[in-house]
């Protein structure tokens, strides 16, 4: 008897890959890191005459990649967000608009300054609700916009709303390094763009952050804030010394520097970022196509003007009872597919909804709550093959179908 005679239902397929395993650091990055280890000058300002530190070179490279005038490398993505807020003048008691659907470091950065997050709703497309933003525009002078899970809103309309209301925009691009809206790199619409190089983002140095801006005073403040000990002349992607003269006596040092070891790991990864983005998107499309036309499951649409990075995928189980959502997660987990439910009432392992952040009081947002309850999320590490992605989609399809019918 040929194998094909065995009915598929008797042997449910399972997936055995790891949802948290990234690719190794490229050999070029390992070699550069080893050379930093061998000379021992890990601190970015520890250089010999004629030497430019890896951290400084990283800033120069990233500024060029983003078409930005200024760039600063820092210790983490969360640090970049807090630093950007300080650099644009946010202080204790100030209100800062931000997404109701994002990850904890975003409202955390606002709270770290003693400022208060004001949450703006989320749409079915998982982007900030621009009508809600427009309605709340008078409530704050700054918007910290999180491109959560890589979904880009209509950035042209967002900037029109914010410019009209004189709102300064800081972009959290932790999930959009390498993405673009209408050809403009993500992070280049607002006053400041912030990126993360933490292991689960698009380039990997374990921890790390980058900040870009075209505003000379914001750049100078950010560099001083990061702990430059007045060595700002060692920053190739910095404004002229006169700009520092204007701000250096009233900008505190809130140390959060990048070091040469991590910068060395990162520079070769920036060179291959565009190719990696293509590989992510190929995997994303396989899962997305595999999840189409499943009753009860809503695929999140991507705006054709957005060039995204499919490093994770979300789908909605709109208006499903919690019990059934849990059943889908459990049944997928039993077949090796790790899904996260961003809508879970109690946060575990991550928090991504506004009402989990009780230090930042908020009013209930019923329309947003309906979306949040529906969001199921899955990482797509590049260690998965496209065949893996097709298998994962078949498993989700089958289990969503089974629970939906029950
Ligand atoms: C990871 C992340 C950050 C912050 O990055 P860290 O480098 O971990 O501090 C900010 N925003 C979002 C949406 C993130 O996922």
């Amino acid at each position: 008897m040929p194998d094909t005679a065995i009915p598929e239902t008797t042997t449910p397929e399972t997936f055995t890959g790891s949802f948290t395993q990234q690719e190794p650091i490229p050999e070029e990055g390992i070699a550069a890191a080893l050379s930093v280890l061998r000379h021992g000058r890990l601190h970015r300002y520890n250089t010999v005459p004629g030497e430019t530190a890896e951290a400084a070179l990283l800033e120069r490279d990233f500024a060029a990649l983003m078409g930005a005038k200024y760039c600063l490398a820092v210790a983490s993505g969360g640090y970049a967000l807090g630093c950007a807020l300080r650099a644009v003048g946010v202080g204790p008691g100030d209100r800062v608009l931000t997404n109701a659907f994002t990850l904890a470091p975003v409202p955390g950065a606002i709270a770290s300054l003693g400022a208060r997050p004001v949450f703006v709703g989320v749409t079915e497309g998982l982007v900030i609700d621009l009508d809600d933003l427009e309605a709340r525009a008078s409530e704050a002078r700054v918007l910290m916009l999180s491109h959560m899970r890589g979904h880009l809103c209509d950035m042209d309309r967002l900037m029109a709303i914010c410019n009209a209301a004189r709102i300064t925009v800081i972009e959290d691009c932790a999930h959009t390094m390498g993405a673009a809206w209408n050809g403009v790199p993500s992070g280049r619409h607002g006053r400041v763009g912030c990126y993360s190089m933490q292991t689960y983002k698009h380039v990997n140095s374990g921890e790390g952050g980058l900040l870009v801006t075209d505003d000379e005073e914001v750049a100078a403040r950010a560099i001083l804030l990061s702990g430059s000990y007045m060595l700002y002349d060692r920053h190739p992607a910095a404004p002229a010394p006169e700009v520092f003269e204007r701000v250096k006596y009233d900008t505190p040092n809130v140390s959060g520097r990048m070091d040469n070891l991590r910068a060395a790991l990162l520079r070769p990864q920036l060179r291959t970022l565009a190719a990696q983005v293509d590989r992510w998107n190929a995997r994303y499309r396989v899962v997305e196509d595999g999840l189409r036309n499943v009753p009860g499951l809503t695929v999140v649409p991507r705006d054709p003007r957005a060039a995204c990075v499919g490093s994770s995928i979300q789908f909605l189980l709109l208006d499903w009872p919690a019990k059934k959502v849990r059943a889908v997660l459990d049944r997928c987990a039993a077949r090796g597919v790790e899904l996260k439910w961003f809508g879970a009432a109690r946060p575990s392992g991550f928090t991504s909804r506004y009402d989990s952040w009780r230090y930042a009081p908020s009013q209930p947002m019923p329309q947003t709550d309906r979306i949040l309850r529906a969001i199921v999320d899955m990482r797509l590490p590049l260690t998965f093959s496209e065949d893996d992605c097709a298998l994962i989609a078949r498993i989700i399809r089958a289990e969503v179908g089974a629970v939906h019918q029950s």
Side-chain angles (χ1 to χ4, degrees), residues 335-370:
R335 294 178 66 179
V337 175
E338 228 177 83
L339 302 174
K340 281 184 191 166
W341 184 23
F342 278 145
R346 255 187 257 150
S348 70
F350 53 89
T351 59
S352 51
R353 45 183 296 168
Y354 69 99
D355 50 1
S356 300
W357 305 313
R358 295 188 193 158
Y359 56 82
S362 56
Q363 297 297 314
M365 306 170 80
Q367 277 172 308
T368 285
D369 292 343
R370 173 172 176 258

Side-chain angles (χ1 to χ4, degrees), residues 295-313:
L297 182 154
T298 308
V299 172
V300 180
R302 294 279 208 193
D303 192 306
R305 291 166 291 181
C308 295
V309 184
S311 52
S312 70
I313 189 163

Side-chain angles (χ1 to χ4, degrees), residues 15-254:
F15 178 64
T16 53
S18 163
F19 283 79
T20 50
Q21 181 59 57
Q22 310 303 314
E23 292 190 300
I25 301 299
E27 286 304 325
E28 226 190 316
I30 294 173
L34 281 175
S35 104
V36 171
L37 290 176
R38 292 207 169 95
H39 67 54
R41 294 183 295 278
L42 273 72
H43 192 281
R44 68 170 296 160
Y45 300 122
N46 182 201
T47 51
V48 293
E51 181 184 22
T52 308
E54 287 284 342
L57 293 171
L58 174 69
E59 290 163 346
R60 191 200 60 190
D61 293 355
F62 195 65
L65 186 65
M66 291 291 127
K69 282 191 186 158
Y70 312 116
C71 176
L72 172 68
V74 293
S76 73
Y79 182 88
L81 295 174
C83 183
L85 287 166
R86 283 192 170 88
V88 304
V90 173
D94 289 348
R95 297 156 70 89
V96 177
L97 293 158
T98 195
N99 306 57
F101 171 51
T102 181
L103 280 172
V106 178
I110 298 168
S112 76
L113 278 84
R116 288 164 47 199
V118 176
F119 297 109
V120 184
V122 65
T123 69
E124 264 191 57
L126 301 189
V127 297
I128 193 164
D129 181 341
L130 294 178
D131 294 331
D132 193 26
L133 176 67
E134 202 159 28
R136 289 160 180 273
S138 63
E139 293 182 36
R141 284 179 36 253
V142 174
L143 164 67
M144 176 159 278
L145 172 66
S146 181
H147 304 297
M148 178 63 174
R149 282 315 197 224
H151 300 280
L152 291 167
C153 71
D154 179 342
M155 287 302 297
D156 302 319
R157 185 172 165 216
L158 178 130
M159 290 311 298
I161 294 169
C162 291
N163 289 338
R166 297 172 170 275
I167 291 173
T168 299
V169 178
I170 297 171
E171 295 181 70
D172 164 29
C173 305
H175 303 163
T176 56
M177 183 190 277
W181 172 264
N182 252 343
V184 178
S186 184
R188 300 292 293 129
H189 288 87
R191 182 79 54 89
V192 190
C194 300
Y195 307 80
S196 168
M197 292 88 87
Q198 193 232 77
T199 294
Y200 302 109
K201 313 297 163 100
H202 299 170
V203 291
N204 175 13
S205 58
E207 303 285 354
L210 280 159
L211 175 164
V212 295
T213 183
D214 286 348
D215 183 310
E216 60 179 21
E217 206 160 299
V218 167
R221 285 187 194 281
I223 290 167
L224 293 165
L225 282 161
S226 75
S228 61
Y229 302 120
M230 303 298 168
L231 298 170
Y232 43 79
D233 60 334
R234 311 259 194 101
H235 287 249
E242 309 84 85
V243 185
F244 289 90
E245 288 302 327
R246 294 206 298 269
V247 297
K248 71 183 190 185
Y249 293 105
D250 47 35
T251 305
N253 178 327
V254 187

